[in-house]
Amino acid sequence: MAPLLKDELDIVIPTIRNLDFLEMWRPFFQPYHLIIVQDGDPTRTVMVPEGFDYELYNRNDINRILGPKASCISFKDSACRCFGYMVSKKKYVYTIDDDCFVAKDPTGKDIDALAKHIQNLLCPSTPLFFNTLYDPYQEGADFVRGYPFSLREGVPTAVSHGLWLNIPDYDAPTQLVKPRERNGRYVDAVMTIPKGSLFPMCGMNLAFDRELIGPAMYFGLMGDGQPIGRYDDMWAGWCVKVICDHLGLGVKTGLPYIWHSKASNPFVNLKKEYKGIFWQEDIIPFFQAAKLTKECDTVQKCYISLSQQVKEKLGKIDPYFVKLADAMVTWIEAWDMLNSKDSKEADVANGKLKGK
Amino acid sequence: MAPLLKDELDIVIPTIRNLDFLEMWRPFFQPYHLIIVQDGDPTRTVMVPEGFDYELYNRNDINRILGPKASCISFKDSACRCFGYMVSKKKYVYTIDDDCFVAKDPTGKDIDALAKHIQNLLCPSTPLFFNTLYDPYQEGADFVRGYPFSLREGVPTAVSHGLWLNIPDYDAPTQLVKPRERNGRYVDAVMTIPKGSLFPMCGMNLAFDRELIGPAMYFGLMGDGQPIGRYDDMWAGWCVKVICDHLGLGVKTGLPYIWHSKASNPFVNLKKEYKGIFWQEDIIPFFQAAKLTKECDTVQKCYISLSQQVKEKLGKIDPYFVKLADAMVTWIEAWDMLNSKDSKEADVANGKLKGK
């Protein structure tokens, strides 16, 4: 059983509506502190079910806390959630979308997604060599014959990427082509994504170690005033994976599943995505070729170096990437501002909307 | 459903005993031609159940067919099976150990392992980018959001690596430490091993495309007269993966499962493995760093280039690797001898022991 990291984990939820979905999660989430990032109209009231311990930030709060640096936080896009990563003071973060419900395992039992994420984060990853029996640290599994003994200690796990039953995380073209496709396949596995391999990180059901990788979990500039949406988590995933590979950290994917209830509108999605569909053909080779030097020995330094490479290499594709590269720097400045030693005390007096 | 590749696939079985295990496989294997490689004493008679179409080679046959080049085929070790890959004239090979039985899926249905391997080999692989919902070509699955469209055609699949329920494929130290561990986890997934990532390839339940990768499926020098055993399939797997990555071919792992009935003796295994346990600490970095030039545009050329690098780099560790490097060259010579256009007709008159 995974330990209850009550004082070491925050749950970050971006939303524009009342959080009724929390009722179903109550047995699993209630011991934890929630950070709710309210998107859109800040005058609207978001209702949180009774009994949850939470703080809530709307756009006015973000602007007040970050000042001019608030420009790096997206508006009218769930990318705004990364503000929650920044204000958390905990070691771990779990983030989930408000249309995700508790899934059932093949025996019909409710899946405690958070407990599984904690288990994933607390045991090592194996990015340097592939283990054919999946996560070797899992009960009943191990390293197979031929797995080098020197690599069996593994590396610290920075990210646990969970999956989705029912509505799969498809792009707009696939949604349009396969409107009825549902994911019913419960794959009972967790695995490390090998070093050097990029993956499409989805922010729907995602946990990470803030201390190890937090400053790279920037969800970019999306939504209002930007030429693109729905690439927030992808952008973060590419940056995170390159930095994890460089710093010797692990990224796991697989279990736990959540139940994704409702497909978003594919026509709206296509509008948000279509530039990304072109751009990713250049972005991915860019990240595959990105180089970080030995001097980049912290996440922040890695991230700043990536931002420079983004400006230089991707800036040629579209001026958007110059703006994004600048926002990446602003994000790190804001992160360090809120996460310096001094900031912790200042933060207490910061006038947050504090829940019960 | 996978097609029945009756005229395009051989099943290769290395053995020292009567092949009673085939009875259980009859519904699945009987349509196919078997190539049995009899290890050990050639005067012993190996009994094959009635009704199977097979050819059988013992050591005398190997020596007669290959002449001095027979030195590259191991004796008293299941590595001898690779002789069967060489004499096959089919496009695909499936190889299985004679202590592997039909496994059941979670619904209790017998698993037709061969049909699943064929399905794996006939659909593409995706080594260039990780798909979080596993094999995107599978029924009910697809590429997830953020997967570049230019990579969705995939690459040809050269290898399908199947897994094992019951007795997992552990090395001697793990067997000794966990004598009671059994693999009961049925993971309903097939995945591509990403480019640049090595894996421990097990020969127990393995299918491959001979035309695409056959000449690299050499199981090395093991057993009688050699300082090492139980690294035959590992050696092949390292070479195969490096060459697949270079030539743009895919390696899949996961389904299908077979039921592995009996753990081999861990004390005997330790004796066979112990040098390998040291050596693999150097061999794996060697293969991770191995370079193949543009001129290496066939499997044979790649393999000869690897043999040169083995001699140069690993020869320093132990004289065994010099001998192995020479055997790699002999293997390619023997392969080409048996697989040239002319050899096909010569082969018919070759005096093989032919089954019914």
Side-chain angles (χ1 to χ4, degrees), chain A residues 289-318:
Chain A
K291 290 270 172 289
L292 295 170
T293 62
K294 274 187 187 169
E295 287 67 42
C296 296
D297 55 1
T298 66
V299 178
Q300 275 90 336
K301 287 185 201 169
C302 290
Y303 203 72
I304 294 294
S305 171
L306 274 186
S307 78
Q308 289 159 350
Q309 296 176 54
V310 167
K311 185 174 267 185
E312 187 191 328
K313 302 266 175 61
L314 296 180
K316 292 171 195 160
I317 299 173
D318 194 277

Short mmCIF file of all heavy atoms in Angstrom, two decimals, chain A residues 289-318:
data_model
loop_
_atom_site.label_atom_id
_atom_site.label_comp_id
_atom_site.label_asym_id
_atom_site.label_seq_id
_atom_site.Cartn_x
_atom_site.Cartn_y
_atom_site.Cartn_z
N ALA A 289 16.71 16.79 -30.71
CA ALA A 289 18.08 17.20 -30.95
C ALA A 289 18.59 18.18 -29.89
O ALA A 289 19.78 18.52 -29.88
CB ALA A 289 18.18 17.85 -32.33
N ALA A 290 17.72 18.63 -28.99
CA ALA A 290 18.12 19.65 -28.01
C ALA A 290 19.28 19.14 -27.15
O ALA A 290 19.31 17.98 -26.75
CB ALA A 290 16.93 20.02 -27.12
N LYS A 291 20.23 20.01 -26.90
CA LYS A 291 21.41 19.63 -26.13
C LYS A 291 21.48 20.47 -24.85
O LYS A 291 21.28 21.68 -24.90
CB LYS A 291 22.68 19.89 -26.94
CG LYS A 291 22.88 18.95 -28.11
CD LYS A 291 23.67 17.70 -27.71
CE LYS A 291 23.69 16.67 -28.84
NZ LYS A 291 22.38 16.01 -29.09
N LEU A 292 21.75 19.81 -23.74
CA LEU A 292 21.96 20.52 -22.48
C LEU A 292 23.39 20.24 -22.03
O LEU A 292 23.84 19.09 -22.05
CB LEU A 292 20.95 20.05 -21.44
CG LEU A 292 19.48 20.39 -21.77
CD1 LEU A 292 18.52 19.69 -20.81
CD2 LEU A 292 19.25 21.90 -21.72
N THR A 293 24.08 21.27 -21.65
CA THR A 293 25.49 21.11 -21.28
C THR A 293 25.62 20.69 -19.82
O THR A 293 24.66 20.73 -19.05
CB THR A 293 26.27 22.42 -21.48
OG1 THR A 293 25.69 23.39 -20.58
CG2 THR A 293 26.15 22.92 -22.91
N LYS A 294 26.84 20.32 -19.46
CA LYS A 294 27.12 19.91 -18.08
C LYS A 294 26.81 21.02 -17.08
O LYS A 294 26.48 20.76 -15.92
CB LYS A 294 28.60 19.54 -17.94
CG LYS A 294 28.87 18.10 -18.32
CD LYS A 294 30.32 17.72 -18.00
CE LYS A 294 30.61 16.33 -18.55
NZ LYS A 294 32.06 16.02 -18.51
N GLU A 295 26.94 22.26 -17.55
CA GLU A 295 26.67 23.40 -16.66
C GLU A 295 25.19 23.44 -16.24
O GLU A 295 24.85 24.04 -15.21
CB GLU A 295 27.04 24.73 -17.34
CG GLU A 295 28.54 24.98 -17.46
CD GLU A 295 29.24 24.01 -18.39
OE1 GLU A 295 28.68 23.72 -19.48
OE2 GLU A 295 30.33 23.51 -18.05
N CYS A 296 24.35 22.83 -17.02
CA CYS A 296 22.92 22.82 -16.68
C CYS A 296 22.69 21.74 -15.62
O CYS A 296 22.30 20.61 -15.95
CB CYS A 296 22.08 22.53 -17.92
SG CYS A 296 22.20 23.81 -19.18
N ASP A 297 22.93 22.09 -14.37
CA ASP A 297 22.85 21.09 -13.31
C ASP A 297 21.65 21.30 -12.38
O ASP A 297 21.54 20.64 -11.35
CB ASP A 297 24.17 21.03 -12.52
CG ASP A 297 24.56 22.39 -11.97
OD1 ASP A 297 23.80 23.36 -12.19
OD2 ASP A 297 25.62 22.49 -11.33
N THR A 298 20.77 22.21 -12.75
CA THR A 298 19.49 22.34 -12.03
C THR A 298 18.38 22.40 -13.07
O THR A 298 18.63 22.69 -14.25
CB THR A 298 19.42 23.64 -11.20
OG1 THR A 298 19.42 24.76 -12.11
CG2 THR A 298 20.59 23.78 -10.24
N VAL A 299 17.16 22.15 -12.62
CA VAL A 299 16.04 22.21 -13.55
C VAL A 299 15.94 23.62 -14.14
O VAL A 299 15.72 23.80 -15.34
CB VAL A 299 14.72 21.82 -12.85
CG1 VAL A 299 13.54 21.94 -13.80
CG2 VAL A 299 14.80 20.40 -12.30
N GLN A 300 16.13 24.62 -13.28
CA GLN A 300 16.02 26.00 -13.75
C GLN A 300 17.03 26.30 -14.86
O GLN A 300 16.67 26.89 -15.89
CB GLN A 300 16.25 26.99 -12.60
CG GLN A 300 15.01 27.28 -11.77
CD GLN A 300 14.83 26.35 -10.59
OE1 GLN A 300 15.35 25.23 -10.59
NE2 GLN A 300 14.09 26.80 -9.58
N LYS A 301 18.27 25.90 -14.64
CA LYS A 301 19.29 26.18 -15.66
C LYS A 301 18.97 25.44 -16.96
O LYS A 301 19.16 25.97 -18.05
CB LYS A 301 20.67 25.76 -15.14
CG LYS A 301 21.24 26.69 -14.07
CD LYS A 301 22.66 26.26 -13.71
CE LYS A 301 23.07 26.79 -12.35
NZ LYS A 301 24.33 26.16 -11.88
N CYS A 302 18.51 24.20 -16.83
CA CYS A 302 18.12 23.44 -18.02
C CYS A 302 17.01 24.16 -18.77
O CYS A 302 17.01 24.27 -20.00
CB CYS A 302 17.62 22.04 -17.63
SG CYS A 302 18.88 20.92 -17.03
N TYR A 303 16.06 24.66 -17.99
CA TYR A 303 14.88 25.26 -18.61
C TYR A 303 15.23 26.57 -19.32
O TYR A 303 14.73 26.84 -20.42
CB TYR A 303 13.79 25.49 -17.56
CG TYR A 303 12.42 25.56 -18.17
CD1 TYR A 303 11.81 24.42 -18.67
CD2 TYR A 303 11.75 26.77 -18.30
CE1 TYR A 303 10.56 24.47 -19.27
CE2 TYR A 303 10.51 26.83 -18.91
CZ TYR A 303 9.91 25.68 -19.38
OH TYR A 303 8.69 25.74 -20.00
N ILE A 304 16.09 27.34 -18.70
CA ILE A 304 16.54 28.59 -19.34
C ILE A 304 17.30 28.27 -20.63
O ILE A 304 17.12 28.93 -21.66
CB ILE A 304 17.40 29.42 -18.35
CG1 ILE A 304 16.55 29.90 -17.16
CG2 ILE A 304 18.08 30.60 -19.07
CD1 ILE A 304 15.46 30.89 -17.52
N SER A 305 18.13 27.25 -20.56
CA SER A 305 18.87 26.86 -21.76
C SER A 305 17.90 26.42 -22.87
O SER A 305 18.07 26.79 -24.04
CB SER A 305 19.84 25.73 -21.42
OG SER A 305 20.40 25.20 -22.59
N LEU A 306 16.87 25.65 -22.49
CA LEU A 306 15.88 25.25 -23.50
C LEU A 306 15.17 26.46 -24.10
O LEU A 306 14.92 26.52 -25.30
CB LEU A 306 14.83 24.31 -22.88
CG LEU A 306 15.14 22.82 -22.84
CD1 LEU A 306 13.93 22.05 -22.31
CD2 LEU A 306 15.55 22.28 -24.21
N SER A 307 14.87 27.44 -23.23
CA SER A 307 14.16 28.63 -23.72
C SER A 307 15.00 29.36 -24.77
O SER A 307 14.47 29.85 -25.77
CB SER A 307 13.79 29.56 -22.57
OG SER A 307 14.91 30.32 -22.16
N GLN A 308 16.31 29.39 -24.54
CA GLN A 308 17.20 30.05 -25.52
C GLN A 308 17.18 29.29 -26.85
O GLN A 308 17.14 29.89 -27.93
CB GLN A 308 18.62 30.12 -24.97
CG GLN A 308 18.76 31.12 -23.82
CD GLN A 308 19.98 30.85 -22.95
OE1 GLN A 308 20.64 29.82 -23.07
NE2 GLN A 308 20.29 31.78 -22.05
N GLN A 309 17.19 27.96 -26.76
CA GLN A 309 17.17 27.14 -27.98
C GLN A 309 15.83 27.27 -28.70
O GLN A 309 15.78 27.25 -29.93
CB GLN A 309 17.48 25.68 -27.63
CG GLN A 309 18.88 25.49 -27.07
CD GLN A 309 19.16 24.05 -26.62
OE1 GLN A 309 19.00 23.11 -27.38
NE2 GLN A 309 19.59 23.87 -25.37
N VAL A 310 14.75 27.38 -27.92
CA VAL A 310 13.42 27.58 -28.52
C VAL A 310 13.42 28.88 -29.33
O VAL A 310 12.97 28.92 -30.48
CB VAL A 310 12.32 27.62 -27.43
CG1 VAL A 310 11.00 28.14 -27.99
CG2 VAL A 310 12.12 26.23 -26.81
N LYS A 311 13.91 29.93 -28.70
CA LYS A 311 13.91 31.23 -29.37
C LYS A 311 14.72 31.16 -30.67
O LYS A 311 14.26 31.56 -31.73
CB LYS A 311 14.50 32.30 -28.44
CG LYS A 311 14.42 33.71 -29.01
CD LYS A 311 14.88 34.77 -28.01
CE LYS A 311 13.71 35.34 -27.22
NZ LYS A 311 14.09 36.44 -26.33
N GLU A 312 15.89 30.58 -30.56
CA GLU A 312 16.80 30.55 -31.70
C GLU A 312 16.30 29.64 -32.83
O GLU A 312 16.30 30.03 -33.99
CB GLU A 312 18.17 30.06 -31.19
CG GLU A 312 19.28 30.14 -32.22
CD GLU A 312 20.51 29.39 -31.73
OE1 GLU A 312 20.75 29.36 -30.49
OE2 GLU A 312 21.22 28.81 -32.57
N LYS A 313 15.86 28.43 -32.46
CA LYS A 313 15.55 27.44 -33.49
C LYS A 313 14.07 27.49 -33.91
O LYS A 313 13.76 27.40 -35.09
CB LYS A 313 15.86 26.03 -32.98
CG LYS A 313 17.31 25.82 -32.56
CD LYS A 313 18.13 25.24 -33.70
CE LYS A 313 19.60 25.14 -33.35
NZ LYS A 313 19.88 24.27 -32.19
N LEU A 314 13.16 27.58 -32.94
CA LEU A 314 11.74 27.54 -33.29
C LEU A 314 11.20 28.93 -33.64
O LEU A 314 10.17 29.05 -34.30
CB LEU A 314 10.91 26.91 -32.16
CG LEU A 314 11.22 25.44 -31.85
CD1 LEU A 314 10.34 24.92 -30.71
CD2 LEU A 314 11.03 24.56 -33.08
N GLY A 315 11.92 29.96 -33.17
CA GLY A 315 11.51 31.33 -33.49
C GLY A 315 11.41 31.56 -34.99
O GLY A 315 10.64 32.41 -35.45
N LYS A 316 12.18 30.77 -35.75
CA LYS A 316 12.14 30.92 -37.21
C LYS A 316 10.81 30.44 -37.80
O LYS A 316 10.43 30.86 -38.89
CB LYS A 316 13.25 30.07 -37.84
CG LYS A 316 14.65 30.57 -37.54
CD LYS A 316 15.68 29.55 -38.01
CE LYS A 316 17.05 29.85 -37.41
NZ LYS A 316 17.93 28.67 -37.44
N ILE A 317 10.15 29.54 -37.10
CA ILE A 317 8.88 28.99 -37.62
C ILE A 317 7.76 29.99 -37.49
O ILE A 317 6.95 30.18 -38.40
CB ILE A 317 8.51 27.71 -36.84
CG1 ILE A 317 9.59 26.65 -37.03
CG2 ILE A 317 7.14 27.19 -37.26
CD1 ILE A 317 9.38 25.43 -36.17
N ASP A 318 7.72 30.64 -36.33
CA ASP A 318 6.61 31.58 -36.07
C ASP A 318 7.02 32.48 -34.90
O ASP A 318 7.66 32.02 -33.95
CB ASP A 318 5.35 30.79 -35.70
CG ASP A 318 4.10 31.67 -35.76
OD1 ASP A 318 3.83 32.39 -34.76
OD2 ASP A 318 3.41 31.65 -36.80
#
